[in-house]
Amino acid sequence: MTPADPTQDGRSADGPGAPLLRVEDLRVEIPSEEGIVHAVDGISYELARGRTLAIVGESGSGKTVSALALMGLLDRQARVAGRVELDGAELLALGKERMRALRGNELAMVFQDPLSALHPLHRVGWQIVEAIRAHRDVAKPAARARAKELLDLVGIPEPGRRLDSYPHELSGGMRQRAMIAIALANEPKLLIADEPTTALDVTVQAQVLALLRRLQRELGMAIVLVTHDLGVVAEVADDVAVMYAGRIVERGSAQQIFSSPRHPYTWGLLRCTPRLEGDLSELVPIAGRPPSLVRRPSGCHFHPRCPYARPEHAQIDPALESLPDEAGHAAACLLDPELRARLWESLRAGESPEQARAAAGFVGAAPVSGTHV
């Protein structure tokens, strides 16, 4: 495998400093019996070569739907709008044939459940060979030799023998590695990994994450990592986008998100994440349930669950705004930035939301329950 040669600053082919991936105002609406599901509601972000962006949030926040939109793999009933550029090519404007040519070649995806993503009736080697020959004019023997190379690259022992294994004959970790091998068959510029370690035990999780980091260094890929696990994010991400109710509510570097988060939802995610040195009894779940994406709360979508919400937050819809003196860090919150900083310092010190409100000199009404529109 020939390693790519990315520039250190992540420059793309369409100009100095240009991102490899640019997503602008991406929206996905899906008709349902209950009404229109606003699965993705105007998200925007950029990603440079060789960097990893983690998209995090609870189930139902729109993470996976946004990833499938990039791949062009949504149901035909889904209405997709916005702009998605990969190395200067506008993906949403491409026809089916052109998108099929890019998918698996320029961009590839590792799915959450490898057992269902791999074809159960075909041997692993055959599936890798088909992925190669779909985009490369190579003979079967050469493609099979390349498939063996790939299995060896992702750390599968006895790769020559495993070429002839069926998916059910492999362990969960080996199936996930085989999926990664298929995704990397044509050295894509962008790899999308949807919950790649969810069904794996802790030891195998660590191995898969280390594998992704190593392959990224060797190939210069950009990675979009879709996950709910902030422990995984801390291991591999350069940048983080926090999604809630189809929107990005906070975006910044991994360091900013973990050391100085500025959205109450992000605080909730961090406070319910286990730590090695922590006590499980100290975990604090986020109150309430994620909202319906058909009938979303009015105003700030998070206000029905937010311990710091004021009555006016049920009417005002916050925009994602850059934070003062924090380059690249933005949050969609109606609370004053300085107040948010004081609240987080109290929460990080182990205080409850009620104690944090008092310590920060919080002035405002008690939390409100949301009005749905």
Side-chain angles (χ1 to χ4, degrees), residues 104 109 111 113-135 140 143-144 146-148 150-151 162-170 174-175 177-186:
M109 187 165 182
F111 295 92
D113 181 6
L115 188 57
S116 61
L118 292 168
H119 199 298
L121 301 182
H122 290 292
R123 300 178 195 273
V124 169
W126 181 92
Q127 296 185 57
I128 301 175
V129 166
E130 288 301 297
I132 295 169
R133 299 188 77 214
H135 300 281
K140 282 187 178 180
R144 185 175 170 85
R146 173 78 168 130
K148 180 182 175 182
L150 286 162
L151 289 184
R162 291 302 182 184
L163 286 173
D164 294 320
S165 297
Y166 288 98
H168 71 271
E169 296 176 319
L170 304 179
M174 290 175 71
R175 284 196 294 267
R177 289 169 183 267
M179 275 295 304
I180 293 171
I182 292 172
L184 297 180
N186 297 298

Side-chain angles (χ1 to χ4, degrees), residues 197-243:
T197 61
T198 294
L200 307 177
D201 64 50
V202 175
T203 302
V204 179
Q205 278 190 22
Q207 293 171 350
V208 170
L209 293 176
L211 171 64
L212 288 175
R213 288 197 300 272
R214 175 172 65 81
L215 294 174
Q216 183 177 47
R217 286 195 301 270
E218 293 178 3
L219 303 176
M221 295 181 303
I223 297 178
V224 173
L225 174 67
V226 175
T227 183
H228 68 279
D229 189 337
L230 286 174
V232 170
V233 174
E235 285 287 321
V236 300
D238 299 299
D239 304 291
V240 181
V242 180
M243 284 192 71

Side-chain angles (χ1 to χ4, degrees), residues 336-347 356 359-362:
D336 179 79
E338 291 185 6
L339 173 60
R340 279 180 268 160
R342 295 198 301 273
L343 286 168
W344 170 243
E345 287 306 314
S346 296
L347 292 171
F362 189 94

Side-chain angles (χ1 to χ4, degrees), residues 19-346:
L20 173 69
L21 176 67
R22 180 185 288 117
V23 177
E24 297 178 358
D25 196 29
L26 178 64
R27 298 174 184 272
V28 179
E29 295 181 347
I30 304 172
S32 73
E33 292 182 358
E34 296 182 1
I36 300 298
V37 178
H38 302 275
V40 181
D41 189 16
I43 68 171
S44 300
Y45 60 84
E46 294 182 349
L47 180 61
R49 296 175 188 273
R51 292 183 70 83
T52 297
L53 169 71
I55 300 179
V56 303
E58 296 166 289
S59 297
S61 62
K63 309 183 304 294
T64 294
V65 174
S66 70
L68 293 173
L70 303 188
M71 294 291 295
L73 291 175
L74 290 171
D75 187 275
R76 64 179 62 188
Q77 290 186 327
R79 299 196 289 264
V80 184
R83 188 172 183 84
V84 177
E85 287 187 8
L86 178 65
D87 212 10
E90 217 301 271
L91 300 186
L92 299 186
L94 297 179
K96 290 182 180 179
E97 290 301 317
R98 178 63 178 139
M99 190 64 202
R100 190 177 293 116
L102 287 182
R103 192 166 50 234
N105 191 34
E106 302 275 321
L107 70 163
M109 187 165 182
V110 177
F111 295 92
Q112 181 173 349
D113 181 6
L115 188 57
S116 61
L118 292 168
H119 199 298
L121 301 182
H122 290 292
R123 300 178 195 273
V124 169
W126 181 92
Q127 296 185 57
I128 301 175
V129 166
E130 288 301 297
I132 295 169
R133 299 188 77 214
H135 300 281
R136 300 286 188 270
D137 185 16
V138 296
K140 282 187 178 180
R144 185 175 170 85
R146 173 78 168 130
K148 180 182 175 182
E149 235 180 77
L150 286 162
L151 289 184
D152 185 49
L153 180 74
V154 299
I156 290 183
E158 300 182 87
R161 184 167 69 87
R162 291 302 182 184
L163 286 173
D164 294 320
S165 297
Y166 288 98
H168 71 271
E169 296 176 319
L170 304 179
S171 68
M174 290 175 71
R175 284 196 294 267
Q176 192 63 280
R177 289 169 183 267
M179 275 295 304
I180 293 171
I182 292 172
L184 297 180
N186 297 298
E187 299 184 19
K189 298 174 182 176
L190 173 66
L191 179 68
I192 300 172
D194 183 14
E195 302 278 10
T197 61
T198 294
L200 307 177
D201 64 50
V202 175
T203 302
V204 179
Q205 278 190 22
Q207 293 171 350
V208 170
L209 293 176
L211 171 64
L212 288 175
R213 288 197 300 272
R214 175 172 65 81
L215 294 174
Q216 183 177 47
R217 286 195 301 270
E218 293 178 3
L219 303 176
M221 295 181 303
I223 297 178
V224 173
L225 174 67
V226 175
T227 183
H228 68 279
D229 189 337
L230 286 174
V232 170
V233 174
E235 285 287 321
V236 300
D238 299 299
D239 304 291
V240 181
V242 180
M243 284 192 71
Y244 185 79
R247 296 180 175 179
I248 292 176
V249 296
E250 185 165 7
R251 186 180 63 215
S253 69
Q255 181 178 4
Q256 289 168 333
I257 296 299
F258 281 98
S259 65
S260 57
R262 290 296 178 260
H263 194 283
Y265 178 60
T266 311
W267 304 342
L269 293 177
L270 289 168
R271 282 165 57 82
C272 65
T273 299
R275 299 169 186 259
L276 286 176
E277 70 279 7
D279 182 345
L280 288 179
S281 66
E282 297 175 355
L283 299 181
V284 183
I286 302 173
R289 294 181 297 177
S292 164
L293 295 182
V294 177
R295 292 176 294 277
R296 298 169 296 174
S298 59
C300 171
H301 294 342
F302 186 59
H303 85 262
R305 304 174 71 190
C306 181
Y308 318 100
R310 294 168 171 158
E312 61 267 26
H313 295 177
Q315 279 74 48
I316 305 171
D317 191 0
L320 187 67
E321 295 181 341
S322 298
L323 293 163
D325 304 320
E326 292 192 57
H329 196 179
C333 183
L334 296 168
L335 296 174
D336 179 79
E338 291 185 6
L339 173 60
R340 279 180 268 160
R342 295 198 301 273
L343 286 168
W344 170 243
E345 287 306 314
S346 296

